[in-house]
Amino acid sequence: MQSTNKDWYLASFEAFEKSLNGEMKSSFHGIRKEAIGRFAELGFPTTKNEEWKYTDVSPLTRLRFQPVLQYAGEGVSKKDIERFRLGIQDSHVLVCVNGHFSRELSAIGKIPAGVRLGGLAEEIRSGNQLVEQYLARKAKYENDSFTALSTAFLMDGIFVRVPDGVVVDRPIHVIFISQNQDTEVVVHPRTLVVAGKSSQAAFVESHVSLSSRPYFTNVVTEIVLGENAVVEYDKVQMDSTSAFHISTTHVYQERNSNFASNAITFGGLFVRNNITAVLDGEGSEATLNGLYLATGEQLVDNHTTIDHAKPHCPSHELYKGILAGKSRGVFNGKIFVRKEAQKTDAKQTNKNLVLSDEASIDTKPQLEIFADDVKCTHGATIGQLDDEALFYLRSRGVGLEKARDILIYAFASDVVDKIKVAEMRETLQAMLHDRLEQSRAFNKN
Amino acid sequence: MGVRKEEKGNGMLEIIDLHAEVDGKKILKGINLKVNLGEVHAIMGPNGSGKSTLAQVLAGRESYNVTNGQVLYDGQDLLDMSPDERARAGVFMAFQYPVEIPGVSNTYFLKAGLNAIRKHHGLEELDAMEFLKFVKEKAKFVNMDETLLSRPVNHGFSGGEKKRNEIYQMAVLEPKLAILDETDSGLDIDALRIVAEGINKLRSKNNSIIVVTHYQRILNYVVPDYVHVLLGGRIVRSGGKDLALQLEDKGYDWVKEEVEAVS
Ligand SMILES: Nc1ncnc2c1ncn2[C@@H]1O[C@H](COP(=O)(O)OP(=O)(O)OP(=O)(O)O)[C@@H](O)[C@H]1O
Ligand SMILES: [Mg+2]
């Protein structure tokens, strides 16, 4: 079984190579070949692999997804895009359909000189030096099957470059749309963000779909922060509830840079998010926050890693989960403190609200500390809605469902409130509400 | 409306042989009590006698199990209603220990409550601006600091602020039947006066109030029509406001002795 599924992707790669024609001779193609080679050796992970202990990928590997070899933006309208803007006004909108950048559907406003926002394919073709320097170099494919697959099939995606000293004041919003009417497809949304020295930007990455047929979206995002750069990264995952979503975000930080991510997970049937921040410069700071809501039969697995490689770096982590229906959650928070990384101050919290008897969560901190003068704290909780609070609200006339909603929002609010792109917060609250309603409707059936 | 009231008398609340238990432990053992419209009743009794249990049962707390008896509220079967239905029908309980709810603003939740009640009565819901104007008036009833209005419900409030918040909510929701569970305990004399004055302003011919307390002090301000002694899950004695003075003076032992002598 295992080998045939692997073979399916290897065969797909051959077809993909043929479709590339002349591009096969480009220098990047060497990396693709290396990556598929690694995938051939690694295969898909099993639950024997410590990183995949709680999440069995066989429901994903059993299906035969078709790669999307060329741009198929037809069937997506500007109106669809409006719907997906998350209420953010005047953002620079970059749209990818099935992993391919669409200039027609994108809407890029006035940007400071030197900023580049656009497709990755043209940058690879033109031999952009930053792309050569960073693409597939930060998110390592050597030991990760899914990153290897993404890299092997890498053709297009998004490239963002903010030059030294430049502040982009409106959010950059990348919308990844999956579109498959007739077949079950696999897409590889890929992004490279390079934020120069003392630059600043807010980057929103959202994942949506226009069909309810199963698809597999295998996301890789690489973000590089130069010295003193400040980047907010909000990932909003709203795939259809029959989708498989696996994503890897790799963040590399130089001295005094500041990175904050907010990973919001609402959609998908099978979701695995990996985020890694490497604090590779003194005084750099990382904040990884997350909110996941799982209902029905959803599985949501969040794996975070903070790699403290240099001294004097604080890191903060707050992940909150709401689990309803028969859903399952996994949280694994790894904190590495390397020998050199003295005066590290790392704080990790994972809190879960379990709304039904059939929902469950596995949560685990994983600290690997090799320095001796560090502060690391972590805590995880699993709880239900507070009956006393619920009664208090109801005793003032608030109906049961509304009272539950209020308490659930309250639980989620300290993550949502930290998002700096303020216009998005209201949209997220509304989405939370909708998802909970759907979940209730689902439970009544 | 008036005619219907005539037929029922002016009974607001009628508790008939009420028995209740929690976690298998019998606490209320046959409560009988009738409260008419416009009356103020005080319920006094030693610690653990079942006062809060009675209040919580009337408000609809599900962890208390009613094993026998009946409660009529304005002619309706109160025990058949959910806690929020009771609130919408005009029942209000001020908690002895108000819950802290981080992340939920006092204003937001109270607006949800008030609008649910208004909707129930066929009134238009208030929008955020209208509501804010309305509650600012009400906050003055109990000298409530305006900054508390937007803070998370009771979160980090002092004991006195929590009690004021309860009466402020009563002022906003304008219940027909208010059960105030030890709203006076823990208040200094100034705060007590302010809260008591607030209660008096809300007291009217068209509502009824049950004041649960240990101390006679609050009854100097909120003068009750009747005083009841709750002991071991039963009302063992009822009287006028003088009974409260007697209890303050002599404690509960003499009541206990009298009850034991009879049985
Ligand atoms: N969850 C529970 N499980 C077991 N016993 C309980 C529970 N809740 C209350 N009790 C008991 O029920 C009895 C009555 O409690 P209640 O709170 O009604 O008393 P009270 O008259 O309000 O006392 P106080 O004056 O101290 O407020 C007490 O003995 C108390 O310990
Ligand atoms: Mg009590």
Side-chain angles (χ1 to χ4, degrees), chain A residues 114-118 120 123 128-138 158-166 168 172 191-203 221-227 229-231 233 250-254 257 259:
Chain A
V115 173
R116 280 192 80 85
L117 303 176
L120 201 45
E123 304 290 350
N128 182 309
Q129 197 248 321
L130 289 170
V131 170
E132 268 168 28
Q133 191 179 343
Y134 294 119
L135 185 66
R137 309 283 179 191
K138 293 299 172 190
I158 295 294
F159 177 66
V160 174
R161 155 71 173 158
V162 185
D164 293 356
V166 170
V168 180
I172 299 161
T191 304
L192 173 63
V193 178
V194 183
K197 224 173 175 175
S198 297
S199 68
Q200 188 179 324
F203 180 77
T221 301
E222 291 166 287
I223 302 173
V224 180
L225 283 81
E227 188 176 332
V230 178
V231 171
Y233 167 72
H250 195 98
V251 185
Y252 178 80
Q253 295 187 241
E254 287 177 5
S257 62
F259 175 78

Short mmCIF file of all heavy atoms in Angstrom, two decimals, chain A residues 114-118 120 123 128-138 158-166 168 172 191-203 221-227 229-231 233 250-254 257 259:
data_model
loop_
_atom_site.label_atom_id
_atom_site.label_comp_id
_atom_site.label_asym_id
_atom_site.label_seq_id
_atom_site.Cartn_x
_atom_site.Cartn_y
_atom_site.Cartn_z
N GLY A 114 10.83 49.71 -4.91
CA GLY A 114 11.68 48.58 -4.54
C GLY A 114 10.93 47.39 -3.99
O GLY A 114 11.46 46.29 -3.91
N VAL A 115 9.67 47.61 -3.59
CA VAL A 115 8.88 46.49 -3.07
C VAL A 115 8.46 45.62 -4.25
O VAL A 115 8.06 46.13 -5.30
CB VAL A 115 7.63 46.99 -2.32
CG1 VAL A 115 6.71 45.84 -1.93
CG2 VAL A 115 8.03 47.79 -1.09
N ARG A 116 8.57 44.31 -4.09
CA ARG A 116 8.08 43.42 -5.15
C ARG A 116 6.99 42.53 -4.59
O ARG A 116 7.17 41.89 -3.56
CB ARG A 116 9.22 42.56 -5.69
CG ARG A 116 10.10 43.28 -6.69
CD ARG A 116 11.02 42.31 -7.40
NE ARG A 116 10.34 41.60 -8.49
CZ ARG A 116 10.20 42.07 -9.72
NH1 ARG A 116 10.63 43.28 -10.02
NH2 ARG A 116 9.61 41.34 -10.64
N LEU A 117 5.86 42.53 -5.27
CA LEU A 117 4.75 41.66 -4.89
C LEU A 117 4.29 40.98 -6.16
O LEU A 117 3.87 41.65 -7.09
CB LEU A 117 3.57 42.47 -4.34
CG LEU A 117 3.76 43.39 -3.15
CD1 LEU A 117 2.47 44.15 -2.85
CD2 LEU A 117 4.17 42.60 -1.94
N GLY A 118 4.36 39.67 -6.22
CA GLY A 118 3.91 39.04 -7.46
C GLY A 118 4.15 37.55 -7.47
O GLY A 118 4.29 36.91 -6.42
N LEU A 120 5.89 33.86 -8.24
CA LEU A 120 7.21 33.29 -8.02
C LEU A 120 7.82 32.77 -9.32
O LEU A 120 9.02 32.83 -9.53
CB LEU A 120 7.07 32.15 -6.99
CG LEU A 120 8.25 31.65 -6.18
CD1 LEU A 120 9.08 32.78 -5.61
CD2 LEU A 120 7.72 30.77 -5.05
N GLU A 123 9.98 35.12 -11.15
CA GLU A 123 11.22 35.40 -10.42
C GLU A 123 12.23 34.26 -10.60
O GLU A 123 13.43 34.49 -10.71
CB GLU A 123 10.95 35.61 -8.93
CG GLU A 123 9.92 36.69 -8.61
CD GLU A 123 10.41 38.12 -8.89
OE1 GLU A 123 11.62 38.31 -9.16
OE2 GLU A 123 9.56 39.04 -8.84
N ASN A 128 16.07 35.75 -10.16
CA ASN A 128 16.14 36.68 -9.02
C ASN A 128 17.12 36.15 -7.97
O ASN A 128 17.03 35.01 -7.53
CB ASN A 128 14.74 36.84 -8.42
CG ASN A 128 14.71 37.82 -7.28
OD1 ASN A 128 15.50 37.74 -6.35
ND2 ASN A 128 13.79 38.77 -7.35
N GLN A 129 18.02 37.02 -7.58
CA GLN A 129 19.11 36.59 -6.71
C GLN A 129 18.61 36.18 -5.32
O GLN A 129 19.11 35.21 -4.72
CB GLN A 129 20.12 37.73 -6.62
CG GLN A 129 21.47 37.30 -6.10
CD GLN A 129 21.72 37.89 -4.74
OE1 GLN A 129 21.38 39.05 -4.49
NE2 GLN A 129 22.29 37.10 -3.84
N LEU A 130 17.60 36.89 -4.80
CA LEU A 130 17.05 36.55 -3.47
C LEU A 130 16.35 35.19 -3.51
O LEU A 130 16.39 34.43 -2.55
CB LEU A 130 16.06 37.62 -3.01
CG LEU A 130 16.68 38.95 -2.61
CD1 LEU A 130 15.60 40.00 -2.40
CD2 LEU A 130 17.53 38.80 -1.35
N VAL A 131 15.70 34.93 -4.64
CA VAL A 131 15.02 33.65 -4.79
C VAL A 131 16.05 32.54 -4.79
O VAL A 131 15.90 31.51 -4.11
CB VAL A 131 14.17 33.65 -6.08
CG1 VAL A 131 13.65 32.25 -6.38
CG2 VAL A 131 13.01 34.62 -5.94
N GLU A 132 17.13 32.77 -5.51
CA GLU A 132 18.18 31.75 -5.53
C GLU A 132 18.78 31.53 -4.15
O GLU A 132 19.10 30.44 -3.74
CB GLU A 132 19.27 32.13 -6.53
CG GLU A 132 18.96 31.53 -7.89
CD GLU A 132 19.81 32.08 -9.01
OE1 GLU A 132 20.96 32.51 -8.75
OE2 GLU A 132 19.31 32.10 -10.15
N GLN A 133 18.89 32.65 -3.41
CA GLN A 133 19.50 32.59 -2.09
C GLN A 133 18.61 31.88 -1.06
O GLN A 133 19.10 31.15 -0.21
CB GLN A 133 19.79 34.02 -1.63
CG GLN A 133 20.66 34.11 -0.39
CD GLN A 133 20.92 35.57 -0.03
OE1 GLN A 133 20.74 36.48 -0.85
NE2 GLN A 133 21.36 35.80 1.19
N TYR A 134 17.29 32.12 -1.14
CA TYR A 134 16.43 31.64 -0.05
C TYR A 134 15.42 30.55 -0.40
O TYR A 134 15.06 29.76 0.45
CB TYR A 134 15.65 32.83 0.55
CG TYR A 134 16.53 33.83 1.25
CD1 TYR A 134 16.59 35.16 0.82
CD2 TYR A 134 17.30 33.45 2.35
CE1 TYR A 134 17.39 36.08 1.47
CE2 TYR A 134 18.11 34.38 3.00
CZ TYR A 134 18.15 35.69 2.56
OH TYR A 134 18.94 36.60 3.20
N LEU A 135 14.93 30.54 -1.63
CA LEU A 135 13.84 29.60 -1.94
C LEU A 135 14.29 28.16 -1.75
O LEU A 135 15.32 27.75 -2.30
CB LEU A 135 13.34 29.82 -3.38
CG LEU A 135 12.12 28.99 -3.77
CD1 LEU A 135 10.89 29.40 -2.97
CD2 LEU A 135 11.83 29.13 -5.27
N ALA A 136 13.54 27.41 -0.98
CA ALA A 136 13.83 26.00 -0.69
C ALA A 136 15.12 25.83 0.11
O ALA A 136 15.61 24.71 0.28
CB ALA A 136 13.88 25.17 -1.97
N ARG A 137 15.67 26.93 0.61
CA ARG A 137 16.88 26.83 1.43
C ARG A 137 16.52 26.87 2.91
O ARG A 137 17.24 26.37 3.74
CB ARG A 137 17.85 27.98 1.14
CG ARG A 137 18.16 28.21 -0.30
CD ARG A 137 19.15 27.18 -0.82
NE ARG A 137 19.40 27.44 -2.23
CZ ARG A 137 20.05 26.61 -3.04
NH1 ARG A 137 20.52 25.47 -2.58
NH2 ARG A 137 20.22 26.91 -4.30
N LYS A 138 15.44 27.59 3.23
CA LYS A 138 15.07 27.73 4.64
C LYS A 138 14.15 26.60 5.08
O LYS A 138 14.36 26.02 6.13
CB LYS A 138 14.41 29.11 4.86
CG LYS A 138 15.40 30.28 4.68
CD LYS A 138 16.54 30.18 5.68
CE LYS A 138 17.62 31.21 5.40
NZ LYS A 138 18.83 30.96 6.21
N ILE A 158 4.04 32.77 -4.64
CA ILE A 158 4.09 34.21 -4.35
C ILE A 158 5.48 34.61 -3.90
O ILE A 158 6.11 33.91 -3.09
CB ILE A 158 3.07 34.55 -3.23
CG1 ILE A 158 1.64 34.29 -3.69
CG2 ILE A 158 3.24 36.00 -2.75
CD1 ILE A 158 1.14 35.19 -4.81
N PHE A 159 5.92 35.74 -4.41
CA PHE A 159 7.18 36.30 -3.95
C PHE A 159 6.93 37.71 -3.42
O PHE A 159 6.30 38.53 -4.08
CB PHE A 159 8.20 36.35 -5.09
CG PHE A 159 9.50 37.00 -4.70
CD1 PHE A 159 10.34 36.39 -3.76
CD2 PHE A 159 9.89 38.22 -5.25
CE1 PHE A 159 11.54 37.00 -3.38
CE2 PHE A 159 11.09 38.83 -4.88
CZ PHE A 159 11.91 38.21 -3.95
N VAL A 160 7.40 37.94 -2.20
CA VAL A 160 7.26 39.27 -1.59
C VAL A 160 8.64 39.73 -1.15
O VAL A 160 9.34 39.01 -0.43
CB VAL A 160 6.32 39.23 -0.36
CG1 VAL A 160 6.31 40.58 0.34
CG2 VAL A 160 4.91 38.83 -0.76
N ARG A 161 8.99 40.93 -1.58
CA ARG A 161 10.27 41.48 -1.17
C ARG A 161 10.03 42.88 -0.63
O ARG A 161 9.45 43.73 -1.33
CB ARG A 161 11.20 41.52 -2.38
CG ARG A 161 12.31 42.54 -2.32
CD ARG A 161 13.35 42.14 -1.32
NE ARG A 161 14.51 43.02 -1.34
CZ ARG A 161 15.35 43.14 -0.31
NH1 ARG A 161 15.11 42.47 0.81
NH2 ARG A 161 16.40 43.92 -0.39
N VAL A 162 10.40 43.11 0.63
CA VAL A 162 10.34 44.47 1.17
C VAL A 162 11.78 44.90 1.40
O VAL A 162 12.50 44.29 2.19
CB VAL A 162 9.54 44.51 2.49
CG1 VAL A 162 9.39 45.95 2.98
CG2 VAL A 162 8.16 43.88 2.33
N PRO A 163 12.23 45.94 0.68
CA PRO A 163 13.65 46.32 0.78
C PRO A 163 13.99 46.92 2.14
O PRO A 163 13.09 47.29 2.90
CB PRO A 163 13.82 47.38 -0.32
CG PRO A 163 12.59 47.36 -1.13
CD PRO A 163 11.51 46.78 -0.29
N ASP A 164 15.26 47.08 2.40
CA ASP A 164 15.75 47.65 3.65
C ASP A 164 15.06 48.97 3.96
O ASP A 164 14.92 49.82 3.07
CB ASP A 164 17.27 47.91 3.57
CG ASP A 164 18.06 46.61 3.48
OD1 ASP A 164 17.44 45.52 3.56
OD2 ASP A 164 19.30 46.68 3.31
N GLY A 165 14.65 49.14 5.18
CA GLY A 165 14.13 50.42 5.64
C GLY A 165 12.74 50.79 5.16
O GLY A 165 12.23 51.85 5.48
N VAL A 166 12.12 49.90 4.39
CA VAL A 166 10.80 50.25 3.83
C VAL A 166 9.67 49.71 4.71
O VAL A 166 9.71 48.58 5.18
CB VAL A 166 10.66 49.70 2.39
CG1 VAL A 166 9.23 49.83 1.89
CG2 VAL A 166 11.63 50.43 1.47
N VAL A 168 5.72 48.85 4.58
CA VAL A 168 4.52 48.70 3.74
C VAL A 168 3.34 48.86 4.70
O VAL A 168 3.14 48.03 5.59
CB VAL A 168 4.48 47.31 3.07
CG1 VAL A 168 3.22 47.16 2.21
CG2 VAL A 168 5.72 47.09 2.23
N ILE A 172 -0.46 42.98 3.18
CA ILE A 172 -0.31 42.24 1.93
C ILE A 172 -1.11 40.96 2.12
O ILE A 172 -0.84 40.19 3.05
CB ILE A 172 1.17 41.90 1.68
CG1 ILE A 172 1.98 43.20 1.56
CG2 ILE A 172 1.32 41.02 0.44
CD1 ILE A 172 3.47 43.01 1.76
N THR A 191 5.17 30.19 -0.94
CA THR A 191 5.42 31.62 -0.75
C THR A 191 6.83 31.85 -0.22
O THR A 191 7.31 31.10 0.63
CB THR A 191 4.42 32.21 0.28
OG1 THR A 191 3.09 31.94 -0.16
CG2 THR A 191 4.61 33.71 0.44
N LEU A 192 7.45 32.89 -0.74
CA LEU A 192 8.71 33.35 -0.17
C LEU A 192 8.58 34.84 0.15
O LEU A 192 8.23 35.64 -0.71
CB LEU A 192 9.87 33.13 -1.16
CG LEU A 192 11.22 33.72 -0.74
CD1 LEU A 192 11.76 33.08 0.54
CD2 LEU A 192 12.25 33.58 -1.87
N VAL A 193 8.83 35.17 1.42
CA VAL A 193 8.79 36.56 1.85
C VAL A 193 10.18 36.94 2.34
O VAL A 193 10.73 36.26 3.22
CB VAL A 193 7.78 36.76 3.02
CG1 VAL A 193 7.79 38.22 3.50
CG2 VAL A 193 6.37 36.34 2.61
N VAL A 194 10.75 37.98 1.75
CA VAL A 194 12.06 38.43 2.22
C VAL A 194 11.91 39.88 2.70
O VAL A 194 11.67 40.79 1.91
CB VAL A 194 13.14 38.34 1.11
CG1 VAL A 194 14.51 38.74 1.67
CG2 VAL A 194 13.19 36.93 0.53
N ALA A 195 12.00 40.05 4.02
CA ALA A 195 11.86 41.38 4.61
C ALA A 195 13.25 41.90 4.96
O ALA A 195 13.96 41.30 5.77
CB ALA A 195 10.98 41.32 5.86
N GLY A 196 13.62 43.01 4.32
CA GLY A 196 14.97 43.56 4.49
C GLY A 196 15.17 44.16 5.87
O GLY A 196 14.24 44.26 6.68
N LYS A 197 16.40 44.60 6.08
CA LYS A 197 16.82 45.26 7.31
C LYS A 197 15.87 46.40 7.67
O LYS A 197 15.55 47.24 6.82
CB LYS A 197 18.17 45.88 7.02
CG LYS A 197 19.21 45.71 8.06
CD LYS A 197 20.51 46.25 7.45
CE LYS A 197 21.64 46.26 8.42
NZ LYS A 197 22.89 46.67 7.77
N SER A 198 15.40 46.45 8.91
CA SER A 198 14.54 47.54 9.41
C SER A 198 13.29 47.78 8.55
O SER A 198 12.76 48.88 8.54
CB SER A 198 15.32 48.85 9.53
OG SER A 198 16.34 48.71 10.48
N SER A 199 12.86 46.77 7.86
CA SER A 199 11.62 46.92 7.08
C SER A 199 10.44 46.48 7.96
O SER A 199 10.63 45.91 9.02
CB SER A 199 11.67 46.06 5.83
OG SER A 199 11.64 44.69 6.19
N GLN A 200 9.24 46.78 7.46
CA GLN A 200 8.07 46.38 8.23
C GLN A 200 6.90 46.05 7.30
O GLN A 200 6.64 46.79 6.34
CB GLN A 200 7.66 47.52 9.17
CG GLN A 200 6.57 47.12 10.14
CD GLN A 200 6.21 48.26 11.08
OE1 GLN A 200 7.07 49.03 11.49
NE2 GLN A 200 4.94 48.35 11.42
N ALA A 201 6.21 44.96 7.60
CA ALA A 201 5.06 44.57 6.77
C ALA A 201 4.14 43.63 7.54
O ALA A 201 4.57 42.93 8.45
CB ALA A 201 5.53 43.89 5.49
N ALA A 202 2.87 43.66 7.17
CA ALA A 202 1.92 42.67 7.69
C ALA A 202 1.47 41.83 6.51
O ALA A 202 1.10 42.35 5.46
CB ALA A 202 0.72 43.36 8.33
N PHE A 203 1.50 40.53 6.70
CA PHE A 203 1.28 39.61 5.62
C PHE A 203 0.17 38.64 6.03
O PHE A 203 0.27 37.97 7.04
CB PHE A 203 2.61 38.88 5.39
CG PHE A 203 2.58 37.87 4.29
CD1 PHE A 203 2.63 38.28 2.97
CD2 PHE A 203 2.52 36.52 4.58
CE1 PHE A 203 2.61 37.34 1.94
CE2 PHE A 203 2.49 35.58 3.56
CZ PHE A 203 2.54 35.99 2.25
N THR A 221 5.57 27.98 3.22
CA THR A 221 5.84 29.41 3.26
C THR A 221 7.18 29.64 3.94
O THR A 221 7.41 29.13 5.03
CB THR A 221 4.73 30.13 4.05
OG1 THR A 221 3.48 29.88 3.41
CG2 THR A 221 4.97 31.64 4.09
N GLU A 222 8.05 30.39 3.25
CA GLU A 222 9.34 30.73 3.86
C GLU A 222 9.38 32.24 4.09
O GLU A 222 9.06 33.02 3.20
CB GLU A 222 10.48 30.29 2.94
CG GLU A 222 10.60 28.78 2.85
CD GLU A 222 11.48 28.32 1.70
OE1 GLU A 222 11.02 28.42 0.54
OE2 GLU A 222 12.61 27.87 1.94
N ILE A 223 9.75 32.61 5.30
CA ILE A 223 9.80 34.04 5.63
C ILE A 223 11.17 34.34 6.22
O ILE A 223 11.61 33.68 7.17
CB ILE A 223 8.70 34.40 6.65
CG1 ILE A 223 7.31 34.04 6.10
CG2 ILE A 223 8.76 35.89 7.01
CD1 ILE A 223 6.16 34.20 7.09
N VAL A 224 11.83 35.34 5.63
CA VAL A 224 13.16 35.71 6.11
C VAL A 224 13.09 37.14 6.63
O VAL A 224 12.65 38.04 5.92
CB VAL A 224 14.20 35.62 4.97
CG1 VAL A 224 15.58 36.00 5.46
CG2 VAL A 224 14.21 34.22 4.36
N LEU A 225 13.50 37.33 7.88
CA LEU A 225 13.51 38.68 8.45
C LEU A 225 14.95 39.14 8.63
O LEU A 225 15.72 38.50 9.36
CB LEU A 225 12.83 38.71 9.83
CG LEU A 225 11.31 38.69 9.88
CD1 LEU A 225 10.82 37.26 9.73
CD2 LEU A 225 10.80 39.26 11.19
N GLY A 226 15.29 40.23 7.96
CA GLY A 226 16.62 40.81 8.13
C GLY A 226 16.71 41.50 9.49
O GLY A 226 15.73 41.59 10.23
N GLU A 227 17.89 42.02 9.78
CA GLU A 227 18.11 42.67 11.05
C GLU A 227 17.05 43.75 11.32
O GLU A 227 16.75 44.56 10.44
CB GLU A 227 19.51 43.31 11.03
CG GLU A 227 19.92 43.85 12.36
CD GLU A 227 21.35 44.39 12.34
OE1 GLU A 227 22.18 43.91 11.53
OE2 GLU A 227 21.64 45.31 13.13
N ALA A 229 13.95 43.83 11.36
CA ALA A 229 12.69 43.83 10.59
C ALA A 229 11.53 43.44 11.51
O ALA A 229 11.71 42.72 12.49
CB ALA A 229 12.78 42.84 9.44
N VAL A 230 10.33 43.95 11.18
CA VAL A 230 9.14 43.62 11.95
C VAL A 230 8.08 43.06 11.01
O VAL A 230 7.66 43.74 10.07
CB VAL A 230 8.57 44.88 12.66
CG1 VAL A 230 7.30 44.54 13.43
CG2 VAL A 230 9.61 45.49 13.60
N VAL A 231 7.67 41.82 11.23
CA VAL A 231 6.70 41.19 10.33
C VAL A 231 5.57 40.55 11.14
O VAL A 231 5.82 39.84 12.11
CB VAL A 231 7.38 40.11 9.45
CG1 VAL A 231 6.34 39.31 8.66
CG2 VAL A 231 8.38 40.75 8.49
N TYR A 233 2.42 37.95 10.55
CA TYR A 233 1.99 36.94 9.58
C TYR A 233 0.71 36.31 10.11
O TYR A 233 0.70 35.70 11.18
CB TYR A 233 3.10 35.90 9.44
CG TYR A 233 2.75 34.62 8.74
CD1 TYR A 233 2.53 34.59 7.36
CD2 TYR A 233 2.68 33.42 9.44
CE1 TYR A 233 2.23 33.40 6.72
CE2 TYR A 233 2.38 32.22 8.80
CZ TYR A 233 2.16 32.22 7.44
OH TYR A 233 1.87 31.04 6.80
N HIS A 250 8.14 28.34 7.58
CA HIS A 250 9.47 28.39 8.14
C HIS A 250 9.94 29.83 8.23
O HIS A 250 9.97 30.53 7.23
CB HIS A 250 10.43 27.57 7.28
CG HIS A 250 11.71 27.28 8.01
ND1 HIS A 250 11.95 26.09 8.66
CD2 HIS A 250 12.77 28.07 8.23
CE1 HIS A 250 13.13 26.16 9.25
NE2 HIS A 250 13.65 27.34 9.01
N VAL A 251 10.27 30.26 9.43
CA VAL A 251 10.64 31.66 9.65
C VAL A 251 12.09 31.72 10.10
O VAL A 251 12.49 31.01 11.02
CB VAL A 251 9.75 32.28 10.74
CG1 VAL A 251 10.03 33.77 10.89
CG2 VAL A 251 8.27 32.04 10.42
N TYR A 252 12.84 32.57 9.43
CA TYR A 252 14.25 32.71 9.78
C TYR A 252 14.50 34.16 10.20
O TYR A 252 14.19 35.09 9.47
CB TYR A 252 15.12 32.35 8.57
CG TYR A 252 16.58 32.51 8.84
CD1 TYR A 252 17.29 31.53 9.55
CD2 TYR A 252 17.26 33.66 8.43
CE1 TYR A 252 18.63 31.70 9.82
CE2 TYR A 252 18.60 33.82 8.70
CZ TYR A 252 19.29 32.84 9.40
OH TYR A 252 20.62 33.02 9.68
N GLN A 253 15.02 34.35 11.43
CA GLN A 253 15.12 35.71 11.96
C GLN A 253 16.55 36.11 12.28
O GLN A 253 17.28 35.40 12.97
CB GLN A 253 14.29 35.81 13.26
CG GLN A 253 12.82 35.63 13.03
CD GLN A 253 12.03 35.91 14.31
OE1 GLN A 253 11.35 35.02 14.79
NE2 GLN A 253 12.12 37.12 14.84
N GLU A 254 16.91 37.30 11.78
CA GLU A 254 18.21 37.86 12.12
C GLU A 254 18.09 38.80 13.31
O GLU A 254 16.99 39.08 13.79
CB GLU A 254 18.82 38.54 10.89
CG GLU A 254 19.28 37.48 9.90
CD GLU A 254 19.83 38.02 8.60
OE1 GLU A 254 19.96 39.26 8.46
OE2 GLU A 254 20.12 37.19 7.71
N SER A 257 15.21 41.27 15.10
CA SER A 257 13.97 41.26 14.31
C SER A 257 12.81 40.81 15.20
O SER A 257 13.01 40.20 16.24
CB SER A 257 14.12 40.31 13.12
OG SER A 257 14.32 39.00 13.58
N PHE A 259 9.01 38.95 14.96
CA PHE A 259 8.04 38.23 14.14
C PHE A 259 6.85 37.81 15.00
O PHE A 259 7.02 37.33 16.11
CB PHE A 259 8.70 36.98 13.54
CG PHE A 259 7.75 36.10 12.79
CD1 PHE A 259 7.34 36.43 11.50
CD2 PHE A 259 7.23 34.95 13.37
CE1 PHE A 259 6.44 35.63 10.81
CE2 PHE A 259 6.33 34.14 12.69
CZ PHE A 259 5.94 34.48 11.40
#
